[in-house]
Short mmCIF file of all heavy atoms in Angstrom, two decimals:
data_model
loop_
_atom_site.label_atom_id
_atom_site.label_comp_id
_atom_site.label_asym_id
_atom_site.label_seq_id
_atom_site.Cartn_x
_atom_site.Cartn_y
_atom_site.Cartn_z
N ALA A 253 -27.69 53.26 65.28
CA ALA A 253 -29.12 53.10 64.74
C ALA A 253 -29.41 54.13 63.77
O ALA A 253 -30.08 53.84 62.76
CB ALA A 253 -30.04 53.08 65.98
N ALA A 254 -28.98 55.43 64.06
CA ALA A 254 -29.33 56.47 63.13
C ALA A 254 -28.66 56.17 61.76
O ALA A 254 -29.28 56.40 60.69
CB ALA A 254 -28.90 57.77 63.67
N THR A 255 -27.39 55.75 61.76
CA THR A 255 -26.69 55.44 60.59
C THR A 255 -27.33 54.40 59.77
O THR A 255 -27.59 54.43 58.56
CB THR A 255 -25.21 55.06 60.92
OG1 THR A 255 -24.57 56.08 61.58
CG2 THR A 255 -24.42 54.72 59.61
N ASP A 256 -27.72 53.28 60.54
CA ASP A 256 -28.46 52.22 59.84
C ASP A 256 -29.84 52.67 59.28
O ASP A 256 -30.21 52.21 58.18
CB ASP A 256 -28.71 51.05 60.88
CG ASP A 256 -27.41 50.25 61.13
OD1 ASP A 256 -26.44 50.47 60.45
OD2 ASP A 256 -27.47 49.51 62.11
N GLY A 257 -30.49 53.49 60.03
CA GLY A 257 -31.83 54.09 59.58
C GLY A 257 -31.68 54.81 58.28
O GLY A 257 -32.49 54.68 57.37
N MET A 258 -30.66 55.66 58.19
CA MET A 258 -30.42 56.48 57.00
C MET A 258 -30.08 55.61 55.83
O MET A 258 -30.55 55.75 54.70
CB MET A 258 -29.38 57.56 57.23
CG MET A 258 -29.17 58.56 56.14
SD MET A 258 -30.72 59.23 55.35
CE MET A 258 -31.22 60.33 56.73
N ARG A 259 -29.22 54.55 56.14
CA ARG A 259 -28.80 53.67 55.13
C ARG A 259 -29.99 52.95 54.51
O ARG A 259 -30.10 52.74 53.32
CB ARG A 259 -27.83 52.70 55.74
CG ARG A 259 -27.15 51.60 54.81
CD ARG A 259 -26.15 50.88 55.53
NE ARG A 259 -24.94 51.66 55.93
CZ ARG A 259 -24.11 51.29 56.83
NH1 ARG A 259 -24.24 50.17 57.45
NH2 ARG A 259 -23.12 52.02 57.10
N SER A 260 -30.89 52.64 55.39
CA SER A 260 -32.16 51.89 55.04
C SER A 260 -33.02 52.78 54.08
O SER A 260 -33.48 52.38 52.98
CB SER A 260 -32.95 51.55 56.28
OG SER A 260 -34.21 51.16 55.96
N PHE A 261 -33.13 54.09 54.39
CA PHE A 261 -33.86 54.98 53.49
C PHE A 261 -33.20 55.09 52.11
O PHE A 261 -33.86 55.09 51.14
CB PHE A 261 -34.07 56.32 54.10
CG PHE A 261 -35.28 56.43 55.01
CD1 PHE A 261 -35.19 57.13 56.22
CD2 PHE A 261 -36.51 55.92 54.63
CE1 PHE A 261 -36.29 57.22 57.05
CE2 PHE A 261 -37.59 56.02 55.44
CZ PHE A 261 -37.54 56.68 56.67
N LEU A 262 -31.84 55.24 52.14
CA LEU A 262 -31.11 55.40 50.93
C LEU A 262 -31.32 54.18 50.02
O LEU A 262 -31.53 54.24 48.81
CB LEU A 262 -29.65 55.66 51.20
CG LEU A 262 -29.31 56.98 51.79
CD1 LEU A 262 -27.84 57.02 52.35
CD2 LEU A 262 -29.63 58.17 50.86
N PHE A 263 -31.31 53.05 50.66
CA PHE A 263 -31.48 51.77 49.98
C PHE A 263 -32.91 51.66 49.39
O PHE A 263 -33.07 51.40 48.17
CB PHE A 263 -31.26 50.62 51.00
CG PHE A 263 -31.65 49.22 50.47
CD1 PHE A 263 -30.84 48.59 49.58
CD2 PHE A 263 -32.86 48.65 50.96
CE1 PHE A 263 -31.25 47.30 49.13
CE2 PHE A 263 -33.13 47.44 50.52
CZ PHE A 263 -32.43 46.71 49.62
N ILE A 264 -33.84 52.00 50.16
CA ILE A 264 -35.28 52.00 49.69
C ILE A 264 -35.48 52.93 48.61
O ILE A 264 -36.18 52.58 47.62
CB ILE A 264 -36.22 52.19 50.92
CG1 ILE A 264 -36.19 51.03 51.89
CG2 ILE A 264 -37.64 52.54 50.45
CD1 ILE A 264 -37.13 49.90 51.46
N GLU A 265 -35.04 54.12 48.81
CA GLU A 265 -35.24 55.23 47.78
C GLU A 265 -34.72 54.76 46.44
O GLU A 265 -35.26 54.98 45.39
CB GLU A 265 -34.65 56.49 48.22
CG GLU A 265 -35.46 57.20 49.34
CD GLU A 265 -34.67 58.35 50.04
OE1 GLU A 265 -33.65 58.82 49.50
OE2 GLU A 265 -35.07 58.72 51.12
N GLU A 266 -33.49 54.11 46.45
CA GLU A 266 -32.96 53.70 45.22
C GLU A 266 -33.74 52.66 44.56
O GLU A 266 -33.98 52.61 43.37
CB GLU A 266 -31.58 53.13 45.50
CG GLU A 266 -30.84 52.71 44.24
CD GLU A 266 -29.38 52.30 44.47
OE1 GLU A 266 -29.16 51.29 45.14
OE2 GLU A 266 -28.45 52.99 44.04
N ARG A 267 -34.27 51.69 45.36
CA ARG A 267 -35.17 50.65 44.79
C ARG A 267 -36.47 51.28 44.22
O ARG A 267 -37.05 50.70 43.30
CB ARG A 267 -35.59 49.64 45.89
CG ARG A 267 -34.43 49.11 46.64
CD ARG A 267 -33.94 47.80 46.10
NE ARG A 267 -34.79 46.74 46.41
CZ ARG A 267 -34.35 45.48 46.51
NH1 ARG A 267 -33.08 45.13 46.37
NH2 ARG A 267 -35.25 44.43 46.80
N LEU A 268 -36.84 52.46 44.77
CA LEU A 268 -38.06 53.10 44.20
C LEU A 268 -37.77 54.09 43.12
O LEU A 268 -38.58 54.84 42.65
CB LEU A 268 -38.78 53.80 45.35
CG LEU A 268 -39.33 52.93 46.53
CD1 LEU A 268 -39.85 53.75 47.60
CD2 LEU A 268 -40.43 52.01 45.97
N GLY A 269 -36.43 54.04 42.67
CA GLY A 269 -36.07 54.89 41.53
C GLY A 269 -35.83 56.30 41.91
O GLY A 269 -35.95 57.20 41.09
N ARG A 270 -35.55 56.65 43.13
CA ARG A 270 -35.27 58.03 43.57
C ARG A 270 -33.95 58.17 44.25
O ARG A 270 -33.83 58.79 45.28
CB ARG A 270 -36.39 58.50 44.62
CG ARG A 270 -37.78 58.23 44.15
CD ARG A 270 -38.69 58.72 45.32
NE ARG A 270 -40.07 58.48 45.02
CZ ARG A 270 -41.03 58.79 45.85
NH1 ARG A 270 -40.77 59.37 47.00
NH2 ARG A 270 -42.26 58.47 45.52
N SER A 271 -32.95 57.56 43.69
CA SER A 271 -31.64 57.51 44.36
C SER A 271 -30.89 58.86 44.36
O SER A 271 -30.93 59.58 43.36
CB SER A 271 -30.78 56.40 43.79
OG SER A 271 -29.61 56.41 44.55
N SER A 272 -30.24 59.10 45.40
CA SER A 272 -29.30 60.29 45.51
C SER A 272 -27.89 59.81 45.67
O SER A 272 -27.05 60.64 45.96
CB SER A 272 -29.78 61.14 46.67
OG SER A 272 -29.83 60.38 47.86
N MET A 273 -27.60 58.53 45.49
CA MET A 273 -26.31 58.03 45.70
C MET A 273 -25.57 57.78 44.35
O MET A 273 -26.14 57.66 43.31
CB MET A 273 -26.40 56.68 46.40
CG MET A 273 -26.80 56.68 47.83
SD MET A 273 -26.64 55.05 48.56
CE MET A 273 -27.96 54.17 47.78
N PRO A 274 -24.21 57.68 44.44
CA PRO A 274 -23.48 57.26 43.21
C PRO A 274 -24.06 55.92 42.80
O PRO A 274 -24.35 55.07 43.66
CB PRO A 274 -22.03 57.16 43.70
CG PRO A 274 -21.97 58.00 44.98
CD PRO A 274 -23.34 57.97 45.65
N PRO A 275 -24.10 55.64 41.52
CA PRO A 275 -24.71 54.38 41.10
C PRO A 275 -23.92 53.18 41.62
O PRO A 275 -22.75 53.25 41.96
CB PRO A 275 -24.52 54.42 39.53
CG PRO A 275 -24.27 55.88 39.19
CD PRO A 275 -23.73 56.50 40.43
N ARG A 276 -24.69 52.04 41.75
CA ARG A 276 -24.12 50.86 42.37
C ARG A 276 -23.01 50.24 41.60
O ARG A 276 -23.20 49.87 40.39
CB ARG A 276 -25.28 49.91 42.58
CG ARG A 276 -24.93 48.76 43.49
CD ARG A 276 -26.18 48.00 43.85
NE ARG A 276 -26.61 47.17 42.74
CZ ARG A 276 -27.81 46.71 42.59
NH1 ARG A 276 -28.75 47.12 43.41
NH2 ARG A 276 -28.12 45.96 41.49
N PRO A 277 -21.91 50.04 42.26
CA PRO A 277 -20.83 49.30 41.54
C PRO A 277 -21.07 47.79 41.50
O PRO A 277 -21.82 47.27 42.36
CB PRO A 277 -19.59 49.59 42.34
CG PRO A 277 -20.11 49.85 43.77
CD PRO A 277 -21.56 50.35 43.62
N GLN A 278 -20.50 47.13 40.63
CA GLN A 278 -20.59 45.66 40.54
C GLN A 278 -19.45 45.06 41.43
O GLN A 278 -18.30 45.46 41.25
CB GLN A 278 -20.44 45.24 39.13
CG GLN A 278 -20.94 43.87 38.83
CD GLN A 278 -20.49 43.35 37.50
OE1 GLN A 278 -20.13 44.14 36.59
NE2 GLN A 278 -20.56 42.01 37.36
N ALA A 279 -19.86 44.08 42.31
CA ALA A 279 -18.84 43.38 43.04
C ALA A 279 -18.44 42.12 42.24
O ALA A 279 -19.23 41.30 41.96
CB ALA A 279 -19.41 42.92 44.37
N LYS A 280 -17.26 42.17 41.71
CA LYS A 280 -16.82 41.14 40.75
C LYS A 280 -16.19 39.89 41.40
O LYS A 280 -16.37 38.74 40.97
CB LYS A 280 -15.80 41.66 39.72
CG LYS A 280 -16.45 42.79 38.92
CD LYS A 280 -15.61 43.18 37.73
CE LYS A 280 -16.40 43.92 36.68
NZ LYS A 280 -15.73 43.99 35.44
N ARG A 281 -15.33 40.12 42.40
CA ARG A 281 -14.72 38.96 43.11
C ARG A 281 -14.03 39.45 44.34
O ARG A 281 -13.75 40.62 44.46
CB ARG A 281 -13.80 38.19 42.24
CG ARG A 281 -12.55 39.01 41.81
CD ARG A 281 -11.75 38.25 40.74
NE ARG A 281 -10.46 39.08 40.59
CZ ARG A 281 -9.29 38.83 41.15
NH1 ARG A 281 -9.17 37.69 41.85
NH2 ARG A 281 -8.24 39.53 40.90
N LEU A 282 -13.78 38.56 45.23
CA LEU A 282 -12.98 38.84 46.40
C LEU A 282 -11.55 38.69 45.95
O LEU A 282 -11.07 37.56 45.69
CB LEU A 282 -13.21 37.76 47.44
CG LEU A 282 -14.13 38.25 48.63
CD1 LEU A 282 -14.58 37.12 49.45
CD2 LEU A 282 -13.39 39.25 49.53
N ALA A 283 -10.87 39.88 45.71
CA ALA A 283 -9.53 39.82 45.03
C ALA A 283 -8.41 39.39 45.99
O ALA A 283 -7.48 38.71 45.62
CB ALA A 283 -9.23 41.23 44.51
N PHE A 284 -8.41 39.89 47.21
CA PHE A 284 -7.47 39.39 48.21
C PHE A 284 -7.93 39.54 49.63
O PHE A 284 -8.86 40.26 49.89
CB PHE A 284 -6.08 40.02 48.04
CG PHE A 284 -5.96 41.46 48.34
CD1 PHE A 284 -5.79 41.91 49.71
CD2 PHE A 284 -5.87 42.46 47.37
CE1 PHE A 284 -5.71 43.26 50.05
CE2 PHE A 284 -5.76 43.80 47.65
CZ PHE A 284 -5.60 44.21 49.03
#
Side-chain angles (χ1 to χ4, degrees):
T255 301
D256 286 346
M258 184 50 70
R259 185 174 292 163
S260 165
F261 273 138
L262 293 169
F263 170 75
I264 289 278
E265 286 167 15
E266 183 173 68
R267 307 267 284 210
L268 296 173
R270 304 179 185 181
S271 184
S272 52
M273 287 188 290
R276 193 169 73 203
Q278 196 192 343
K280 296 190 161 194
R281 66 188 188 100
L282 257 166
F284 69 79

